[in-house]
Amino acid sequence: MAAIHTRIESANRSAKQWEADRDLLAEIRQSIPLKELVPELVCDNEKRWNVFLDGVVVDSNRSGPVQCTTDCYKEDDGDWEGDDLLLKRLTLYFKQSVMKWCNQPPCSNPNCKGNEDGKQMEAKGVRGPISDDEKAGKASRVEVYSCRLCGAETTFPRYNSPRMLNKSRRGRCGEFANLFGTYCRALGFDTRYILDLTDHVWVEVWSVRQQRWIHADSCEGIVDRPSMYEQGWGKKLSYVIGATHDSVADVTRRYTRKLNSDDFLARRREFTPDETTGDRAFVQMDLTIRQVDNLPKGRLEELDKRVANEKKYFGIVQSSGVWDKDYYEGRLSGSLAWRAARKELGNDSGEAMDDDENAEISSFLVESFYTSSGKGDNLSIEVKVPAAVSEFGGPCDVLPSSCIVVDGVPCAAALNKGGTCVAVIDERSGCILQSRGFGQWTSFCSFIDTLTDGRVLAICHVKPAGGVDDQRAPPTKETSESLLRLGGFKIEDAVNAQYMIVGQLNHRPAWTTMSTAKGIKVTIKLNQSARPATKLRSEMNVVPSTLSSRLPESIMPIKEQLLASEYQKRVAFNAYMSRDGSNPSVVGYCTGGNKPVYLIDNGAVPFKKAEKDSCWSVYHHLPTYLVDDDDDVTQDDGKEKSDAAKFDIPIADDHFTQLLGNQLLSMSSSGGTSETDTSAAIANTRLVALYFSAHWCGPCRGFTPMLIEFYNVLKEAHPAHGIEIIFVSSDRDEPSFLQYFGTMPFLALPFSNRALAQQVKSMFGVRGIPSLVVLDSMSCQIVVPPDRSRQMVHQSCQRGEDAIEHLFKTWIDLVPAESKAMLEILAVSCQEAEQGSDGVGIKLRTNAHKYFARKTEESKSLSKEEFSARVKTIFGELVATGLGPNEAAAEAINRATNEQSKTSTPSDEGALSGTGEVCDATVPE
């Protein structure tokens, strides 16, 4: 329950903020155009609304029924009355006119040509708040971006302060819910913050008229559709928690109809041991919040009444198992790629999405694969017609993986309801780079637009079952602009119920083939001189679909395989691959701790996710540019290495500077001391320990070597996000201090600051030495007091390095909940930044994403004179090749225009050679 408890505390703090700034509530209330949003209410209750609007005069000459004329009016408004109608329109107004969704921030450079939508911004990482605005806005973290066009650095602070949010008015679901909750409170609505542990937030508003909580999601502009997330978006919920400033409740039952399913309960067991324990914990947390706030009797009675009514309602809806109002639309807010990465696109079938493969965009767990035939001269590609289509000529229920086959490997990302599958193949090596399936035409075109010129594409499209083909809007020249880069693609054929094409982006090779009735078989000649080197890439917690064989005993006996390290297994595999007579179909191997080494071939595709906490991993050959430089198995000393820190700890440097002064001492390798800024000395550390000691003290001289050992072990294991120790001396003179400090690897408070040292001792209640006070670096609060820490260090050092590491983790668990929550947010943000806002599906490798992405350059606008000169140059070159003057002139203008807009026309230049044919190939049933 610890993870839930931390999140609830954060949600409760957000709700309390809505109550705190009365001036902000008044400002927001005055800014909401109530007369335009709900003229019906103003007309019916003129005096009441005049008071509510703080003296704003309403037109008294207006009479009779009045209807809202803004975009917030909807046809179903007649089903809503009073304050509930106001809530409905306020939610839509907030989405349309107040808050702006931000995938990536616009470039901070006002002269940058791409600073409108931020699509050219590249995520660089996250950090803690630094500037005064970031701190005042209570930014939980700050995302850092770099502009690909001008190189300017831009930050996106994730503010938590409603006042700062009302100023910036941009963000994602967290910012939307936070500010919208403030808007609701400004109008007097009793509002609670709703936290979905699968990473979404919204609010609920208490309806006095209906005596129930009403769901309101300002990101989508939708109210009273609790089925939206599970039924519409396809989210796999676990816990949904509601928190006001004075209460907390588990409201999951409002948002699911699968609470009793095994899968749903298994997800909840990741947070609580059983339902009874979870229910009791929520009751206890709610009681604690009420007691802390010392609520009056009337409020307590009202809350109890609401809890009883809600419990009764939850029992009814769970027993029925059906939704009051169905919702089948996927998520609307956020970029397509971002929604796809979160698997919140939903579906259009009118059915709930139970499986990941039903999503609008599907992909393999591991997309890149280098077939065993990749060493040959030719690349074979087949696109086959699904059997149901070829036999009956109608829509298809399933697009299987065998619709597209590259060098004998089925690689179409299967779709259950028809659509478009595409395999992206590297033109240099013949390696399969990406395999995707799309249920919507627009998302398919958006994906093609990201691909690099020269890539070979194999596409199979079949009209989805049910006859809807977006695949709702038929392809047009405008929506198909991305596909026009594929030489040989014909828009007029794309409107058919099915089509297949194999081609090369921005080229028109002779083997390009498009068919609307039969399968395609293409053989492409690869350039052997351009073949890249290969390297084994690791896929952790992954298993192949099938195994080829086990590593031969002659290479490594089975008993040795079970005991061998990863490095020894790698050496053995390389020895097998380099020997004469090795199986040429082998592309890699699969193994794990205390497991044999199994060889894999083309049958390994698709790779599958191993069971949770599995030790299995797959290692397969790919071109080196698809493998990270540090992805290697090396011979080590057997010690577990911690990952490098991926984000900076937001240190409470102001507190530590006030506590310890502006400068600390460090000991150089030559034996001298040097001063360093306090904030820089403790930067990026997780814990700060103050060591009170002196050379004249016998127990100190006995404990110091243990503390040095403790520090060195942790410094090696955690060079960042670890611990920093600061020596606070009680020595009688400076020579003794320097002699003693010279034996330590720690930092030290300068001896000249003896008055400050005495003040620090008094502050932490240190009465004797040696003493060790462990502080949280983010809040400067005590984690371990001096009466416990010394004994804990002593015992851990006696038990060895594992015990020291265990003690460090124990101390980390003792830091304040606020610090834990911030670190969790930073870690998640860092993961999002690594994945990238434009990524779809599985996270791309740091090397790989550079190779997959289409290079975008800032367009260079030519003057009329420069454009004319360029046309003349191209015209002369074309005439020299024998082209007629009229044709050369038309082509020269076309090429110069394309150069001006940075849009290339598919051409024969640079295309691969090969052959293509239409055949009767179909997918076997």
Side-chain angles (χ1 to χ4, degrees), residues 215 220 222 225-237 255-258 323 325-332 339 342-355 358-360 440 472:
H215 151 261
E220 308 293 286
I222 291 174
R225 285 293 187 273
S227 59
M228 180 166 67
Y229 309 109
E230 183 176 80
Q231 189 181 38
W233 296 9
K235 288 180 76 69
K236 296 184 181 298
L237 302 172
Y255 297 95
T256 184
R257 294 298 179 267
K258 301 179 181 180
W323 294 101
K325 301 174 184 177
D326 290 327
Y327 190 96
Y328 297 117
E329 206 169 337
R331 183 168 190 161
L332 303 176
R339 286 178 283 148
R342 294 165 60 94
K343 299 181 179 179
E344 294 174 352
L345 286 168
N347 68 357
D348 298 311
S349 65
E351 300 176 2
M353 288 171 38
D354 291 328
D355 302 309
N358 284 336
E360 288 293 353
Q440 293 189 357
R472 267 173 285 201

Side-chain angles (χ1 to χ4, degrees), residues 877-896:
E877 293 172 351
L878 293 175
V879 171
T881 64
L883 199 65
N886 292 336
E887 293 177 339
E891 180 65 16
I893 293 173
N894 186 40
R895 289 192 184 184

Side-chain angles (χ1 to χ4, degrees), residues 427-446:
E427 71 279 11
R428 294 171 56 191
S429 62
C431 175
I432 302 168
L433 297 177
Q434 294 167 283
S435 298
R436 301 284 170 90
F438 298 89
Q440 293 189 357
W441 178 263
T442 51
S443 55
F444 169 55
C445 291
S446 297

Side-chain angles (χ1 to χ4, degrees), residues 729-749:
S729 172
S730 294
D731 285 298
R732 298 186 176 101
D733 54 64
E734 189 164 12
S736 299
F737 161 76
L738 292 174
Q739 179 185 355
Y740 193 29
F741 180 46
T743 66
M744 302 174 183
F746 315 141
L747 300 166
L749 193 67

Side-chain angles (χ1 to χ4, degrees), residues 640-645 647 649 681-686 711-724 805 808:
E640 184 179 353
K641 300 293 191 300
S642 63
D643 292 336
F647 57 88
I649 299 289
I682 62 173
N684 218 20
T685 190
R686 190 62 197 85
Y711 176 81
N712 288 337
V713 169
L714 292 180
K715 205 65 177 177
E716 181 180 356
H718 305 277
H721 295 198
I723 189 171
E724 199 60 65
E805 177 68 24
F808 175 72

Side-chain angles (χ1 to χ4, degrees), residues 491-775:
I491 293 179
E492 58 271 22
D493 287 345
V495 298
N496 287 279
Q498 68 182 48
Y499 68 84
M500 288 132 282
I501 182 171
V502 179
Q504 189 176 9
L505 281 177
N506 205 41
H507 295 293
R508 289 194 302 245
W511 47 263
T512 298
T513 308
M514 186 169 184
S515 170
T516 60
K518 295 184 178 182
I520 296 172
K521 186 173 183 179
V522 169
T523 302
I524 302 172
K525 182 76 172 178
L526 297 176
N527 184 356
Q528 286 295 331
S529 62
R531 279 294 179 86
T534 63
K535 181 181 176 182
L536 286 167
R537 189 173 86 177
S538 57
E539 313 290 354
M540 301 303 177
N541 293 317
V542 166
V543 293
S545 290
T546 60
L547 299 170
S548 172
S549 60
R550 201 174 66 211
L551 188 69
E553 294 264 335
S554 58
I555 297 293
M556 177 180 280
I558 183 61
K559 291 183 179 180
E560 292 184 17
Q561 293 183 35
L562 297 176
L563 299 175
S565 67
E566 292 300 315
Y567 176 76
Q568 291 169 331
K569 292 177 180 180
R570 173 64 59 88
V571 171
F573 174 77
N574 289 337
Y576 167 78
M577 295 297 292
S578 62
R579 77 171 187 175
D580 293 336
S582 64
N583 187 347
S585 66
V586 172
V587 297
Y589 67 98
C590 174
T591 189
N594 301 319
K595 305 290 185 184
V597 178
Y598 293 101
L599 305 177
I600 60 173
D601 55 17
N602 287 350
V605 176
F607 294 129
K608 300 176 181 179
K609 189 174 182 179
E611 294 181 3
K612 188 177 181 181
D613 299 326
S614 166
C615 61
W616 288 102
S617 296
V618 167
Y619 305 89
H620 60 120
H621 278 288
L622 286 177
T624 53
Y625 43 74
L626 296 180
V627 186
D628 283 348
D629 294 337
D630 58 355
D631 187 354
D632 204 356
V633 176
T634 58
Q635 188 172 14
D636 55 29
D637 57 4
K639 294 180 181 178
E640 184 179 353
K641 300 293 191 300
S642 63
D643 292 336
K646 297 181 176 64
F647 57 88
D648 292 335
I649 299 289
I651 302 295
D653 42 17
D654 290 342
H655 289 285
F656 282 104
T657 301
Q658 293 175 9
L659 179 68
L660 303 171
N662 295 321
Q663 302 289 322
L664 294 174
L665 290 182
S666 61
M667 185 64 68
S668 66
S669 57
S670 62
T673 61
S674 60
E675 290 189 342
T676 182
D677 289 339
T678 300
S679 57
I682 62 173
N684 218 20
T685 190
R686 190 62 197 85
L687 298 174
V688 175
L690 304 180
Y691 179 42
F692 300 89
S693 182
H695 185 263
W696 54 262
C697 171
C700 294
R701 294 196 302 272
F703 178 67
T704 298
M706 287 187 183
L707 188 60
I708 292 173
E709 177 190 357
F710 178 83
Y711 176 81
N712 288 337
V713 169
L714 292 180
K715 205 65 177 177
E716 181 180 356
H718 305 277
H721 295 198
I723 189 171
E724 199 60 65
I725 299 177
I726 300 171
F727 169 43
V728 182
S729 172
S730 294
D731 285 298
R732 298 186 176 101
D733 54 64
E734 189 164 12
S736 299
F737 161 76
L738 292 174
Q739 179 185 355
Y740 193 29
F741 180 46
T743 66
M744 302 174 183
F746 315 141
L747 300 166
L749 193 67
F751 186 78
S752 57
N753 256 341
R754 300 192 67 183
L756 185 58
Q758 187 61 41
Q759 182 179 328
V760 173
K761 288 176 65 176
S762 300
M763 180 181 297
F764 294 108
V766 176
R767 296 183 177 87
I769 55 173
S771 287
L772 186 70
V773 180
V774 183
L775 306 174

